[in-house]
Amino acid sequence: MSDDTTELTERAAVDALVVRLRTIEQQRDAWRTRFEGMAGERDTERETVRKIRASGSYRLGRTLVSFARNPLHSSRRIVRKVRRKPAKPASRKKVPAPPLPTHLYVAIGLDLDALRDFVLAVRRRLLVETDHRAVVLTDEPAFSLLRKAGLILEYLPDRVTWEKHRPDRPWDGVLAERLAHLSRDHGAAQVIFVDPEAPPNLPDLLSEIDTTPPVHLSLPQS
């Protein structure tokens, strides 16, 4: 009888231990599930905080709070941030503009006053439409007085002066050689002969802006 009682007592103790173990395992699983849920909530809250801190509203609010707590220190920080130079945008390589064509004006036979009027007219015309470079060939000895006009002035002695000093070389041939050299040196796209009896004025030059290339006038004869 005593043996049966002892056996029953031992079985009850084992059953109690088994129940206790299962209870502990269930509690463990419940804690694991709760821990995983809280870990997920933690990660979600961290991401929310990161987004809030990265927003402009948060930075503005933080700046206002800092300013309210310590106005002097915050003012210095704000000034330093304002003074910081913004990053320079990537510079683009500028494509150089093609060179302007050169027009060679042959102003032979114009005295100083007429030459001055013509040079100033060309200069003003180029201020309206800068579509070429102007080179003026003149036989006026005082041409250097007009260099401040901003044009390129080239000189060739007039026919009478040339024939006095070099009768062995025809002046017309010298003029042709001079024009050839100037056209090559300046890359002249056009050679324009100016009529000494009626040199073009500013309206005449402006009227040629949107037309075909100007008509070459005849060489002056002296």
Side-chain angles (χ1 to χ4, degrees), residues 113-130:
D113 292 337
L115 180 63
R116 179 186 293 108
D117 293 341
F118 173 71
V119 168
L120 293 178
V122 173
R123 176 60 179 168
R124 290 164 183 163
R125 181 249 186 258
L126 292 178
L127 291 176
V128 175
E129 182 70 21
T130 309

Side-chain angles (χ1 to χ4, degrees), residues 104-108 135-137 175 179 191-195 219-220:
L104 176 56
Y105 294 91
V106 184
I108 300 296
V135 177
V136 179
L137 176 63
L175 174 60
L179 292 177
V191 178
I192 305 170
F193 292 89
V194 178
D195 186 354
L219 277 170

Side-chain angles (χ1 to χ4, degrees), residues 69-178:
R69 291 178 178 176
N70 193 340
L72 180 60
H73 179 69
S74 300
S75 300
R76 292 175 179 175
R77 290 178 55 190
I78 294 174
V79 170
R80 285 198 298 268
K81 289 183 179 180
V82 171
R83 286 181 177 178
R84 291 177 184 174
K85 295 182 179 180
K88 295 182 178 180
S91 58
R92 297 181 179 179
K93 294 183 178 180
K94 295 182 178 180
V95 180
L100 294 174
T102 300
H103 291 182
L104 176 56
Y105 294 91
V106 184
I108 300 296
L110 277 68
D111 59 20
L112 183 59
D113 292 337
L115 180 63
R116 179 186 293 108
D117 293 341
F118 173 71
V119 168
L120 293 178
V122 173
R123 176 60 179 168
R124 290 164 183 163
R125 181 249 186 258
L126 292 178
L127 291 176
V128 175
E129 182 70 21
T130 309
D131 54 0
H132 69 275
R133 296 170 60 247
V135 177
V136 179
L137 176 63
T138 177
D139 60 350
E140 169 55 48
F143 75 96
S144 60
L145 298 175
L146 304 177
R147 288 195 181 279
K148 293 184 179 180
L151 303 185
I152 301 174
L153 299 177
E154 299 286 353
Y155 176 69
L156 175 70
D158 62 86
R159 183 188 296 272
V160 175
T161 302
W162 179 264
E163 290 179 349
K164 285 181 179 180
H165 295 85
R166 294 294 305 271
D168 57 318
R169 293 188 61 189
W171 184 85
D172 289 334
V174 175
L175 174 60
E177 292 178 3
R178 184 69 167 147

